[in-house]
Amino acid sequence: MFAISLGDDGAELRPLEPFHAEEFLAHMDRGREFVGQHIGLPDVVADLDSAGAYLRSYAEKAASDTGRLYGIWTDGTLVGGVLFRTFDAAYGTAEAGCWLEPSAAGKGLITRACRVIIDWAVEERGIHRVEWYASTKNEASVAVARRLGMTREGVLRENYPYRGVRSDTEIWAVLAPEWRAAKAARAS
């Protein structure tokens, strides 16, 4: 297994795999209310069986090259994750996403982790377009899209029925040439 450092604060990015089911469930239990403000992951991961099933679904996506799932650990504790919910190398498109428990919020972990996976997708896999979907009410997620250099392309009105309420979703994206230009600007 590999681990990629996310900085001097002991944070690292690692694959999140089926054998992490107990740790994943404990993490979700710590952040269930916070994570569940805008996404349904806590509703899907309700017990050990569903945690294992979720992780297996992403192992299958990785095996078929249609998605990826990575955990963010700080000081050995799983505190969040980033993923490619969809990944289509033939078309050169992917959708990135994230979640984080409250103890890890506000530290730049998601932005740093997303930079790692987007850079891999663009530079290693030839992905041309990385999309980001966020509830219009999820200011933290929208801020990540901005920090990643994404462009807001529009709003899908009332497209996401979540816990009995329909909400709007912002669509953000970055294209490979834009990603490379921003990366060069950060390096200089």
Side-chain angles (χ1 to χ4, degrees), residues 3-14 23 30 71-80 101 103-104 107 109 112:
I4 297 172
S5 172
L6 294 176
D8 296 335
D9 56 1
E12 58 185 19
L13 185 67
R14 299 186 226 155
E23 185 175 12
R30 287 189 305 273
I72 299 170
W73 277 262
T74 59
D75 300 319
T77 300
L78 179 64
V79 295
E101 66 182 59
S103 67
K107 299 177 182 177
L109 294 171
R112 289 184 272 158

Side-chain angles (χ1 to χ4, degrees), residues 8 13 17 33 58 61 65 104 119 123 126 130-131 139-140 144 149 151 159 178 188:
D8 296 335
L13 185 67
E17 301 184 40
E33 187 176 319
Y58 271 90
K61 282 185 171 196
D65 202 26
D119 199 60
E123 301 300 345
V130 177
E131 298 175 343
E139 295 173 14
V144 169
T151 299
N159 73 307
E178 298 164 342
S188 60

Side-chain angles (χ1 to χ4, degrees), residues 28 31-43 99-102 105 135-140 160 162-163 165 167:
M28 197 53 53
R32 189 168 301 284
E33 187 176 319
F34 183 76
V35 173
Q37 292 176 81
H38 302 289
I39 63 172
L41 181 58
D43 298 342
W99 75 92
L100 200 60
E101 66 182 59
S135 166
T136 55
K137 296 175 184 174
N138 190 343
E139 295 173 14
Y160 185 59
Y162 181 58
R163 296 181 176 173
V165 178
S167 61

Side-chain angles (χ1 to χ4, degrees), residues 81-158:
V82 293
L83 70 155
F84 285 117
R85 197 185 70 74
T86 63
F87 192 91
D88 190 328
Y91 282 100
T93 61
E95 179 194 335
C98 67
W99 75 92
L100 200 60
E101 66 182 59
S103 67
K107 299 177 182 177
L109 294 171
I110 293 296
T111 302
R112 289 184 272 158
C114 284
R115 282 187 179 139
V116 170
I117 68 169
I118 293 171
D119 199 60
W120 170 81
V122 169
E123 301 300 345
E124 299 294 324
R125 297 305 311 283
I127 295 296
H128 179 73
R129 175 185 169 84
V130 177
E131 298 175 343
W132 186 269
Y133 289 65
S135 166
T136 55
K137 296 175 184 174
N138 190 343
E139 295 173 14
S141 186
V142 168
V144 169
R146 283 191 183 102
R147 284 192 299 274
L148 292 172
M150 294 183 165
T151 299
R152 183 176 181 260
E153 297 182 332
V155 175
L156 299 172
R157 297 178 309 136
E158 296 186 5

